[in-house]
Amino acid sequence: MDPLGRRRFLTSAVLGTTAAGVVGASALGSFAPEAAASPRPALDVGAGELDPNFVEGRIIGITKGLLLVTSSDRSMHRIHLTGATSVWKLRPTTSDAATVGDGLYARGVRMPDGTLAADAVWLNIVNLQVHITSIGRSVLHLDHRGDRIVGHVVAGTTAAVYNSTPAVSDLSLLQVGKHAQVVGAWRPDTNEVDLATVYAAA
């Protein structure tokens, strides 16, 4: 979808004037968790400038599908969630999953009033390079640059990818002392993460 068409699509979704609400944002770009920290490059953004169509921060208020977000640079943003917005919080979910205090990455299109019409939102997502320090029942103890992280295995959700092979639910090949990459959902204001995917060598 070209940028102009994408803007019209999201504007219609915000205004509620078309059937856009039944179409997921994955039609507009990758919704994979790994895409959260890799927004599509904007052709009209200069080197070193921030992409105006990508927001990171924490939710400080929610009103009728409008998120009020404070970014790490203390700037404020208003983000529209519509039926056209794809939402990830450990797994694909709905906008009702967003709560005050959640961390957030959002990708979308700026509206004339300065708000962001989101086509994809990732809540509390983390993508960490770690070492596995111990393995318990339904939990992985991890070290991330000297910080201890508790990774919770979520039945029916947590999967492992060994040597770039398809994801499986079997975590038995994970080894203490080995390096891994984990994608998951942070439990705000803790050192705990619900694990979505663990990437490791078998």
Side-chain angles (χ1 to χ4, degrees):
M1 183 178 292
D2 63 86
L4 181 58
R6 183 164 166 261
R7 181 178 294 277
R8 288 172 177 164
F9 176 88
L10 288 168
T11 300
S12 296
V14 169
L15 298 177
T17 56
T18 74
V22 302
V23 181
S26 55
L28 303 176
S30 175
F31 181 56
E34 294 79 5
S38 302
R40 292 190 303 277
L43 299 179
D44 57 349
V45 177
E49 295 181 2
L50 296 177
D51 184 349
N53 298 317
F54 189 78
V55 171
E56 58 78 26
R58 292 190 74 175
I59 300 171
I60 62 172
I62 303 175
T63 304
K64 296 181 179 179
L66 187 70
L67 306 182
L68 183 61
V69 174
T70 301
S71 288
S72 56
D73 64 0
R74 299 188 179 182
S75 60
M76 302 286 289
H77 303 271
R78 293 174 296 156
I79 300 174
H80 288 283
L81 299 184
T82 74
T85 305
S86 291
V87 180
W88 186 95
K89 192 174 186 179
L90 185 62
R91 61 183 69 85
T93 184
T94 66
S95 59
D96 293 339
T99 60
V100 172
D102 281 346
L104 169 148
Y105 289 100
R107 184 183 67 202
V109 172
R110 288 287 175 181
M111 297 291 100
D113 64 358
T115 60
L116 182 78
D119 61 28
V121 169
W122 297 266
L123 298 169
N124 297 329
I125 190 168
V126 293
N127 187 345
L128 303 172
Q129 301 291 331
V130 300
H131 282 87
I132 301 172
T133 59
S134 68
I135 300 175
R137 183 178 178 85
S138 299
V139 67
L140 301 180
H141 294 277
L142 310 168
D143 178 271
H144 172 66
R145 299 178 181 176
D147 293 325
R148 295 183 178 182
I149 305 293
V150 178
H152 296 277
V153 176
V154 180
T157 297
T158 304
V161 173
Y162 300 109
N163 304 322
S164 301
T165 58
V168 295
S169 60
D170 180 11
L171 305 182
S172 65
L173 297 181
L174 298 177
Q175 300 178 51
V176 172
K178 295 294 187 178
H179 172 268
Q181 177 184 357
V182 298
V183 174
W186 169 56
R187 296 184 180 183
D189 301 314
T190 73
N191 68 332
E192 301 181 44
V193 173
D194 291 324
L195 299 171
T197 308
V198 181
Y199 299 86

